[in-house]
Amino acid sequence: MRAWVTRVNPLVLLAVGACSLIGSFAIRSLPIALTAVGAYAVAALLLLPTWRYPLLCLAFSGFAAVTIVYSTWRLGGQDTETAVVAGLRILVLAWPGSVVVGFLDPGRLGDYAAQTLRLPARPVAAFSAALQRFAGFAQTWTDLERTRRARGVAPGRNPVAMTRYSGSMGFALLAQALRGASSSSIAMDARGFASARTRTWAEPATWTRLDLAGLTLAAVLGALPIVLYALGS
């Protein structure tokens, strides 16, 4: 079960984020908020292969939630429960989607978006290529940093030197990105990307029982706060 998130198709992962977004609007009380957060936490504990990345996403989402709690408490009459509910609503809205995005495969996403959702082939292929290029930025940054350290141009601990170093690294990364974009455009043009009417895809967009179960789980988690809110109204 811990490898579930890596085996389902990318549309199921997008559905997890979309359903959590929709369900967050129904979080209007503390019991509903705690139940929704607990349900997503249990699902993450059972279905995610690692906790390092989800905890990182939780830290960023938690920071946003804390700022919402403080601002709501400060400007909303200093009602603690209302402020906490607002923060937990942001947590439900942001955390599940940010976690599943980290497990998306851009190539598979393009295959499924074009074949299952019937989206236009050219925009889908271009978007998929852009996502793949963006995913390689971190590795490119690491390679550039290692190269510069090997040449003895590390910035040290001087803040001014660190600022200059970051600026030069950013410029080098931009140059590398432009070079890669040029190569990708030439390759796509050579393959008839501009004039092709129909297009083949790397993998068939098949839906397995695991995918359907994942889609059902995403819908159930997203509908949980809505159902609880309706029952409490």
Side-chain angles (χ1 to χ4, degrees):
M1 291 182 65
R2 297 295 298 274
W4 172 85
V5 73
T6 61
R7 294 169 57 191
V8 296
N9 76 61
L11 296 184
V12 175
L13 299 181
L14 292 181
V16 173
C19 291
S20 69
L21 171 64
I22 295 171
S24 67
F25 292 104
I27 296 179
R28 302 292 180 179
S29 65
L30 188 58
I32 296 177
L34 292 175
T35 302
V37 172
Y40 277 106
V42 170
L45 182 63
L46 295 176
L47 301 175
L48 295 179
T50 177
W51 263 97
R52 180 176 299 179
Y53 176 71
L55 285 177
L56 179 62
C57 295
L58 181 61
F60 283 106
S61 302
F63 177 77
V66 168
T67 60
I68 293 297
V69 169
Y70 176 75
S71 61
T72 303
W73 179 83
R74 182 86 179 195
L75 303 175
Q78 298 186 354
D79 187 333
T80 303
E81 182 174 342
T82 301
V84 172
V85 170
L88 292 177
R89 183 185 305 121
I90 294 299
L91 198 63
V92 172
L93 183 152
W95 184 48
S98 63
V99 170
V100 296
V101 163
F103 294 96
L104 278 176
D105 182 346
R108 293 189 69 204
L109 177 60
D111 292 337
Y112 277 84
Q115 297 178 73
T116 301
L117 302 181
R118 304 297 181 183
L119 297 179
R122 288 179 59 186
V124 167
F127 181 69
S128 178
L131 285 181
Q132 290 175 339
R133 183 66 59 184
F134 181 78
F137 280 169
Q139 183 60 45
T140 302
W141 181 281
T142 301
D143 293 341
L144 289 172
E145 191 173 39
R146 288 177 179 175
T147 301
R148 295 196 170 198
R149 289 185 181 276
R151 293 175 179 175
V153 291
R157 298 182 179 180
N158 189 329
V160 177
M162 283 289 294
T163 302
R164 293 176 179 174
Y165 179 79
S166 299
S168 64
M169 284 284 289
F171 181 79
L173 185 63
L174 176 61
Q176 184 70 19
L178 292 175
R179 190 180 299 115
S182 177
S183 300
S184 296
S185 63
I186 293 173
M188 288 180 175
D189 187 64
R191 289 168 173 79
F193 183 80
S195 58
R197 296 295 181 182
T198 59
R199 190 165 304 281
T200 58
W201 301 95
E203 297 180 4
T206 58
W207 283 73
T208 65
R209 293 181 179 179
L210 184 64
D211 295 327
L212 296 177
L215 190 61
T216 302
L217 177 62
V220 168
L221 290 174
L224 180 61
I226 299 175
V227 172
L228 293 177
Y229 176 74
L231 292 176
S233 299

